[in-house]
Amino acid sequence: MAGFLSSVRRRLNLNQPTAGDGDPVVEALRAALDPSRVRYDGAERTLLSHDASIFDGGVAGPVCYPLTTAEVQSVMRIAEKHTRNIVPRGAGTGLAGGAIPLGAPIVVAVTRMNNIIEVDVDNRIAWVEPGVVNLDLTRHLMPLGFHFAPDPSSQQVCTIGGNVANNSGGPHCLAYGVTNAHVLAIEVVLPSGEVAMLGGLDAEPAGLDLRGVFIGSEGTLGIATKVAVRITPNAPAVKTMLLSFDTVRNAAHTVSAIIAAGIVPAALEVMDQRITQAVETYVGAGYPTDAGAVLLAEVDGLAESIEIDANRIAEIGREQGAIEVRFAADETERALLWKGRKTAFGAVAQIAPDYYLHDTVVPRSRLADVLDEVSAIAERHDLIVMNVFHAGDGNLHPLLVFDKREPGVIERVHAAGDEILTASLNAGGVLSGEHGVGVEKQKFMDLFFTDDDLAHQNRLRQAFDPGCRTNPGKVIPSGHSCADIAALKRVPREVWA
Amino acid sequence: MSARLTVTDPVLHRLAEEVGVEGPVAVEGSRTRWHIGGAADPQTRLVKAPTGIVEYVPDEMTVCVRAGTSVADLHAALAEQGQRTGLPERGGTVGGAIAVGENDVHVLGRGRVREAVLQIRYVADDAKLVTGGGPTVKNVTGFDLPRLMTGSLGTLGLFAEVILRTNPLPATTVWLESSDADPFAVLDTILRPSAVLWNGIITTVQIEGHGPAVAAETARLAAIGTWAEVAQAPELPAHRWSLVPSELGDPSRWNGATWVASIGVGTVWASIPQPATPTNPVVAALSRRVKQQFDPTGRLNPGRVPGAH
Ligand SMILES: Cc1cc2nc3c(=O)[nH]c(=O)nc-3n(C[C@H](O)[C@H](O)[C@H](O)COP(=O)(O)OP(=O)(O)OC[C@H]3O[C@@H](n4cnc5c(N)ncnc54)[C@H](O)[C@@H]3O)c2cc1C
């Protein structure tokens, strides 16, 4: 990603950040930060008007790269003084459009605040800056015998700040819990420019759990500038197994039967035949390409204990009609299976140039039915759907693949997506398991929450950000957040789109 | 179509009516932790939260329960299906346990209260029924109001019903005691003890899991001391302290008091109360703004402040 950005910069020779001269906000930002870290050139602003979602319509104002909490405070204060909006940004891998700049805000990219400040093995925590890349932290901890448990598939690129803002999950969050369970304290620069330490390292920090609500607030309550994360000891033993089935239904039934048997595996991931075939041609991970679905199950912990759970899982799989149950023989085979799972999205590019990745959760007992419905929906809209998902939590990720040059296809993709969401809600599910609401799911919030529920979410927002200047236009639908609309109307005249 | 989370249960609507829109009001649970957060305003009208398990689907590992249900009743029902929750078993109600937010002594094994709450329904200051969170085990739809409510002492909303995550009951549980083991070596010796408690002399450890795993962990502990099996956790003194785990290494602060420390967690139960620590003024002001937003007239559980001693 970074390499790509810098090569674009070199090609376009747009490294001279002279654009924006005369704009008082840009001038103030350049005075507060090093001028080279305040960009207003077209290339930078265009790049940062998108994230990994399919949403267009973002317009970035000045782009800042602060290095310290004090610099983030200066940016916030300048924004407040000039009543400009701000949007916090990490690596831009968000899939719900959370980092898309609406209304030409100041983009505060924290990617250069990327120091691992301290690893405290006695207290099993690490203090990190928000721009630290998820996998870099785990790599740093590995020699000490620890890792950071949340492992989103984007972990090679996404940042801890982004993980906190989206309360991100990953395959191994089934047993270990999502980001919220692994964050003890967060230093936040509030929209007022003040610094607040939310949470603490002690057992039960006194007062309201403001740490807890900041996590998953998608950049609307302030900017995280420092995070104390829990570090998890590496398990002494692990068993990874691959179960193949004729149908996705059988794989899904196996997942609910495993949970019902009282086993909490470290991971339970399902891939259907289409995605498995794509993965095989892409990386050759050793998955069977003739199976209707595969289930990647992993148990970790004590050798004495995982032996029992793994055998039970194999037994349940066979009862549910598994055509093959295979144990990874060694670390190489295990790593290869995981490589296949984690590069699944990359593999999709061979099928079609574009994809829209959905993210809903349903009760685990409803997985099989909802998956059937998803394929019927795709068929009705003449689209290809692939499924690769965190089955253990009931977290579906239907992937609609398409070529956006085909006329009318985008409309079909959106129509199918809307139906998938409705089907998930009808099954007793929720709108998002890990990608968040951002701009993607705002219009569906009314289907799930009542007006009063949304009004209360807005109360929380107002307490942190009375002017609604921090990432306005996200999460809470506009009808429930009048102040956001006002904030978005304040697009300064001098900003060109 | 009406919103999925629209409340239809008449029992919850009756609570909302009872709370009404005027005058100071609070929920009375079992009064097991009544003194927490300061004295209640004597003018406060007390209401009871409704009781009963609304829906329990063991295969989903979730349970929907009304806030006035006792944790003991809930756990008895769950135990029949081989499950439990992270709520502490200390005689209180489900709503009370969440309002207080304190974890049980075996938090390492059962998980934190705040992580057990998937969805919460509460009566707001204006008698409206509000839902935060959602019914599934994984969910990031909207702001995480269940976290805000956990530990809020009912000062932001009065709890009516919750959906909790359940966990499987382990096949085997043992409590072991040693007077010669270094309590801080336990966490380096065994993988996931459910509790490691220390009173300055005796270390008490709870291990849970499959029988062979518990036996193997018990054998590993022998490398750091002599252990004997005991029936239960030691008696816990009345006052609760919240410390950073590494602060537990220096027992001189107890100065004659009796205490039991939770190693690796930082909670200490002591015969003397923890001195109040000053709150950061920015955080205090932010917390006041949250209270102002959720309860502009200050009618919800007046007198109580989360975090106050
Ligand atoms: C191929 C692929 C696979 C993925 N797999 C997973 C997965 O398995 N699980 C999962 O949960 N997600 C997954 N994601 C989604 C995404 O990677 C995560 O949401 C990630 O945590 C976002 O991090 P980021 O640094 O890219 O944040 P960004 O996209 O830059 O920002 C995301 C949100 O966080 C806010 N934000 C960022 N930094 C801060 C900060 N310091 N303070 C306050 N707010 C901030 C932004 O305003 C925005 O709202 C995947 C994405 C891709 C492209």
Side-chain angles (χ1 to χ4, degrees):
Chain A
M1 186 70 175
F4 167 72
L5 290 187
S6 58
S7 79
V8 169
R9 257 180 232 134
R10 273 196 307 279
R11 254 185 290 134
L12 299 179
N13 194 21
L14 281 167
N15 264 331
Q16 289 308 311
T18 49
D21 284 357
D23 178 337
V25 173
V26 178
E27 305 263 284
L29 290 168
R30 283 188 182 144
L33 276 62
D34 183 288
S36 71
R37 288 188 281 106
V38 181
R39 305 283 303 266
Y40 201 62
D41 47 282
E44 198 76 359
R45 290 179 55 208
T46 307
L47 275 171
L48 296 203
S49 65
H50 288 95
D51 62 5
S53 70
I54 67 165
F55 296 94
D56 287 326
V59 177
V63 179
C64 305
Y65 292 95
L67 297 181
T68 60
T69 302
E71 287 188 351
V72 174
Q73 284 184 277
S74 302
V75 175
M76 279 293 208
R77 292 204 163 114
I78 290 166
E80 170 151 70
K81 180 159 172 236
H82 296 266
T83 35
R84 282 288 285 267
N85 302 333
I86 71 107
V87 55
R89 187 179 174 100
T93 67
L95 289 164
I100 287 188
L102 298 178
I106 301 170
V107 179
V108 188
V110 298
T111 43
R112 297 193 199 170
M113 295 176 72
N114 60 358
N115 293 303
I116 297 172
I117 303 162
E118 184 196 358
V119 177
D120 174 355
V121 172
D122 282 344
N123 286 310
R124 296 196 173 177
I125 62 112
W127 277 106
V128 302
E129 289 183 339
V132 168
V133 168
N134 175 299
L135 190 59
D136 288 350
L137 175 58
T138 280
R139 287 205 176 113
H140 185 87
L141 297 171
M142 273 295 164
L144 304 168
F146 291 88
H147 66 284
F148 180 56
D151 61 338
S153 307
S154 51
Q155 69 182 147
Q156 300 199 10
V157 201
C158 67
T159 64
I160 301 292
N163 297 165
V164 167
N166 282 356
N167 195 14
S168 299
H172 290 88
C173 292
L174 178 57
Y176 290 91
V178 296
T179 300
N180 208 318
H182 303 278
V183 171
L184 288 92
I186 316 168
E187 180 189 86
V188 173
V189 175
L190 297 172
S192 61
E194 293 165 302
V195 179
M197 182 63 80
L198 309 181
L201 304 188
D202 57 320
E204 288 164 353
L208 295 174
D209 185 12
L210 301 178
R211 169 213 67 89
V213 282
F214 186 87
I215 298 168
S217 64
E218 302 191 40
T220 63
L221 303 184
I223 302 184
T225 46
K226 221 197 265 184
V227 187
V229 298
R230 201 179 291 285
I231 61 176
T232 303
N234 299 337
V238 55
K239 258 194 197 317
T240 307
M241 46 207 298
L242 183 69
L243 297 88
S244 322
F245 298 88
D246 284 329
T247 63
V248 177
R249 272 196 90 78
N250 287 355
H253 282 312
T254 304
V255 169
S256 14
I258 292 168
I259 302 294
I263 303 170
V264 186
L268 276 181
E269 298 283 310
V270 168
M271 297 199 285
D272 69 11
Q273 183 167 26
R274 280 206 186 103
I275 196 107
T276 309
Q277 288 173 344
V279 163
E280 274 313 294
T281 4
Y282 191 56
V283 290
Y287 287 105
T289 51
D290 54 349
V294 295
L295 167 62
L296 186 62
E298 186 160 282
V299 285
D300 71 6
L302 298 168
E304 299 84 2
S305 166
I306 64 170
E307 188 72 34
I308 296 170
D309 286 338
N311 289 337
R312 185 76 189 104
I313 289 172
E315 211 175 280
I316 293 171
R318 289 193 194 95
E319 281 160 21
Q320 300 291 336
I323 45 183
E324 193 198 345
V325 178
R326 196 172 99 205
F327 285 82
D330 51 26
E331 186 49 37
T332 318
E333 191 179 350
R334 171 177 179 261
L336 201 57
L337 287 172
W338 274 113
K339 184 175 173 194
R341 167 60 188 87
K342 292 207 172 177
T343 53
F345 300 123
V348 173
Q350 313 156 70
I351 317 280
D354 305 293
Y355 68 76
Y356 188 178
L357 178 58
H358 277 274
D359 165 47
T360 66
V361 187
V362 298
R364 293 170 273 210
S365 56
R366 302 299 308 278
L367 273 173
D369 291 343
V370 176
L371 284 164
D372 276 353
E373 245 182 285
V374 166
S375 55
I377 290 167
E379 207 165 309
R380 266 206 306 283
H381 292 277
D382 193 20
L383 291 165
I384 297 179
V385 65
M386 302 179 150
N387 285 293
V388 43
F389 58 100
H390 310 307
D393 309 293
N395 189 184
L396 296 180
H397 279 335
L399 237 142
L400 298 168
V401 297
F402 59 97
D403 181 345
K404 68 173 175 226
R405 291 166 301 187
E406 188 190 323
V409 74
I410 293 280
E411 288 73 19
R412 277 171 20 232
V413 166
H414 280 293
D418 293 2
E419 286 177 33
I420 290 173
L421 274 170
T422 314
S424 302
L425 290 187
N426 288 344
V430 300
L431 290 173
S432 176
E434 53 182 26
H435 297 166
V437 174
V439 294
E440 183 196 20
K441 286 175 174 161
Q442 272 177 321
K443 65 172 172 159
F444 301 100
M445 291 284 271
D446 282 317
L447 291 181
F448 188 60
F449 291 115
T450 67
D451 288 354
D452 294 331
D453 302 341
L454 290 169
H456 271 233
Q457 298 195 21
N458 200 40
R459 288 183 182 191
L460 176 71
R461 173 85 198 284
Q462 295 276 334
F464 275 79
D465 185 13
C468 287
R469 285 185 301 96
T470 303
N471 213 0
K474 308 288 168 67
V475 189
I476 302 173
S478 55
H480 299 274
S481 175
C482 308
D484 270 28
I485 305 179
L488 288 174
K489 281 195 183 131
R490 285 195 304 262
V491 178
R493 241 176 309 124
E494 59 276 19
V495 170
W496 51 268
Chain B
M1 190 181 109
S2 69
R4 279 262 138 224
L5 294 181
T6 306
V7 179
T8 52
D9 184 353
V11 172
L12 302 196
H13 285 283
R14 271 204 294 283
L15 174 68
E17 267 164 45
E18 204 185 331
V19 169
V21 295
E22 260 172 10
V25 57
V27 177
E28 180 184 30
S30 319
R31 288 190 174 250
T32 56
R33 314 290 286 144
W34 192 246
H35 61 280
I36 290 195
D41 181 330
Q43 303 299 316
T44 306
R45 185 161 53 90
L46 297 180
V47 297
K48 291 263 184 194
T51 58
I53 292 175
V54 179
E55 191 183 11
Y56 175 32
V57 189
D59 291 5
E60 260 345 296
M61 313 284 292
T62 59
V63 62
C64 180
V65 58
R66 296 202 186 106
T69 314
S70 76
V71 176
D73 286 351
L74 172 68
H75 280 185
L78 299 184
E80 283 176 22
Q81 303 291 332
Q83 297 183 1
R84 64 185 181 196
T85 73
L87 302 192
E89 293 168 342
R90 301 272 201 85
T93 61
V94 168
I98 295 166
V100 171
E102 290 172 352
N103 299 311
D104 213 338
V105 41
H106 14 46
V107 59
L108 290 172
R110 296 183 190 202
R112 284 171 284 271
V113 171
R114 68 186 191 210
E115 275 138 35
V117 187
L118 301 172
Q119 177 183 294
I120 190 157
R121 293 201 140 130
Y122 55 92
V123 181
D125 63 309
D126 53 2
K128 295 209 161 117
L129 278 164
V130 174
T131 312
T136 53
V137 291
K138 195 176 183 187
N139 176 25
V140 294
T141 315
F143 294 145
D144 202 345
L145 294 184
R147 306 300 159 129
L148 186 64
M149 293 298 149
T150 305
S152 68
L153 294 179
T155 61
L156 305 177
L158 305 181
F159 309 160
E161 179 200 280
V162 289
I163 297 182
L164 301 172
R165 179 196 299 282
T166 67
N167 310 307
L169 279 171
T172 312
T173 297
V174 295
W175 282 101
L176 300 166
E177 198 178 87
S178 169
S179 48
D180 60 358
D182 169 4
F184 295 91
V186 174
L187 285 167
D188 300 327
T189 308
I190 60 176
L191 185 64
R192 291 169 198 151
S194 293
V196 182
L197 305 171
W198 180 49
N199 67 5
I201 303 159
I202 292 169
T203 303
T204 316
V205 175
Q206 188 186 42
I207 312 176
E208 296 179 305
H210 289 302
V214 172
E217 292 287 66
T218 305
R220 279 176 204 118
L221 275 183
I224 59 163
T226 322
W227 298 84
E229 203 174 323
V230 288
Q232 59 201 17
E235 201 62 29
L236 301 175
H239 298 282
R240 203 177 172 100
W241 291 50
S242 177
L243 299 174
V244 176
S246 58
E247 288 177 311
L248 304 178
D250 171 21
S252 64
R253 75 162 79 223
W254 304 115
N255 202 10
T258 54
W259 52 276
V260 175
S262 177
I263 306 300
V265 177
T267 305
V268 182
W269 293 265
S271 55
I272 46 171
Q274 182 169 25
T277 37
T279 327
N280 170 299
V282 179
V283 176
L286 182 58
S287 303
R288 279 195 299 273
R289 290 202 298 277
V290 172
K291 170 72 177 170
Q292 175 67 29
Q293 281 288 334
F294 281 81
D295 182 21
T297 63
R299 66 182 293 248
L300 301 177
N301 207 358
R304 299 290 183 11
V305 180
H309 277 266

